[in-house]
Amino acid sequence: MRWRKALVCAAQRLVSRPFSSTASYTVNSIILRSLKDHYLEVSKMTPPPLDFHISQKISPPSPYQVVKGALDTGGPVLRRVFGDEVVNVSVMRMVDIIPGGSADDYGNDNINQLFVHVDIAKPGQQDSLHLLCGMYPDALGIHSVSLRPKAESGGFLAVPSKYHGPVFEDVDEKIRDALHSYIEERGINESLFPFLQAWLYVKDHRNLLRWFKTVGTFVNDSHQGTLQA
């Protein structure tokens, strides 16, 4: 079973696990015990070898750098300077934004499809250039291009306040090719894929562990520390 699918299945087993009818257990204690069991199960899983500080077994191509604190936020993952521009890159899986997804959706094809949001900002400009791209292990395609107000967070799916441009497929082929060359020049291509995919795995792992702990604390705050590893 793939690492990502194992995480999803662990969470689903927690939800589907039937409560014991043993009178000696309260509902709270059953929930807390189940949360702890699944927390320990997930904590033993080994994420991809993503090391941001030392060996960098899977690292972003230079000169991109990991945005500090990005694992704990919904903002950009990677950043670089290109001339006087600041380029931010955010990422999520295509399957994660399709309603009704399940563990079975995390097959090899789906986990190899990423949405990459590129934000290019210039000094003195009120707007930044936003490009939404589909990224695969061996290719990258642009879905849309728009100008949007700069935001400190560089949020992934900021809503445009102005006309956000034509359907990209309807744009003249020469312009499409030129825009692909434009982002390629800034290092936006499939070479980012291995790092971004591993990044999502590690973030999923951290988020699921945090979820087990915070739900347990909410159910019974007198058990704080129960789910500590």
Side-chain angles (χ1 to χ4, degrees):
M1 180 179 291
R2 294 184 176 277
W3 192 87
R4 165 70 185 185
K5 190 171 182 179
L7 283 183
V8 176
C9 289
Q12 288 186 335
R13 285 199 300 275
L14 173 63
V15 175
S16 61
R17 185 173 177 173
F19 284 164
S20 171
S21 59
T22 304
S24 60
Y25 287 97
T26 66
V27 172
N28 282 10
S29 66
I30 295 172
I31 294 174
L32 289 169
R33 183 172 182 176
S34 185
L35 285 167
K36 182 176 181 179
D37 289 345
H38 285 81
Y39 176 92
L40 293 174
E41 178 184 350
V42 173
S43 67
K44 293 175 183 178
M45 296 179 182
T46 303
L50 189 63
D51 188 328
F52 309 128
H53 304 294
I54 305 175
S55 60
Q56 292 191 344
K57 296 176 183 178
I58 299 179
S59 59
S62 178
Y64 276 98
Q65 296 181 341
V66 177
V67 176
K68 185 177 180 180
L71 273 174
D72 298 314
T73 70
V77 173
L78 299 177
R79 178 174 295 151
R80 67 162 294 183
V81 174
F82 182 82
D84 64 346
E85 302 171 356
V86 176
V87 182
N88 286 304
V89 178
S90 303
V91 63
M92 69 188 305
R93 291 185 186 83
M94 290 187 183
V95 68
D96 286 337
I97 65 173
I98 299 174
S102 67
D104 292 336
D105 294 326
Y106 289 94
N108 188 56
D109 291 338
N110 283 327
I111 64 174
N112 286 337
Q113 300 175 6
L114 306 180
F115 263 134
V116 175
H117 187 198
V118 182
D119 177 285
I120 303 173
K122 293 185 177 184
Q125 296 278 354
Q126 293 184 342
D127 294 334
S128 58
L129 187 67
H130 289 242
L131 301 100
L132 183 60
C133 307
M135 182 176 287
Y136 308 86
D138 57 355
L140 179 141
I142 298 175
H143 288 290
S144 67
V145 180
S146 62
L147 285 171
R148 306 184 186 184
K150 289 181 180 176
E152 291 183 5
S153 65
F156 178 40
L157 290 178
V159 177
S161 59
K162 302 176 183 178
Y163 172 64
H164 52 83
V167 176
F168 192 72
E169 293 180 356
D170 295 339
V171 174
D172 181 84
E173 184 177 359
K174 291 183 179 179
I175 298 177
R176 296 201 308 268
D177 290 345
L179 285 168
H180 276 96
S181 297
Y182 181 84
I183 60 172
E184 172 70 30
E185 188 178 24
R186 287 152 180 78
I188 306 297
N189 54 49
E190 60 272 17
S191 68
L192 295 175
F193 185 90
F195 176 84
L196 292 176
Q197 185 185 54
W199 170 274
L200 288 171
Y201 287 145
V202 173
K203 189 175 180 70
D204 289 342
H205 186 259
R206 286 169 61 105
N207 284 344
L208 186 54
L209 290 176
R210 185 181 296 114
W211 183 83
F212 286 136
K213 294 176 70 173
T214 55
V215 171
T217 299
F218 180 86
V219 169
N220 191 339
D221 58 12
S222 66
H223 286 75
Q224 286 187 16
T226 299
L227 300 180
Q228 295 295 329

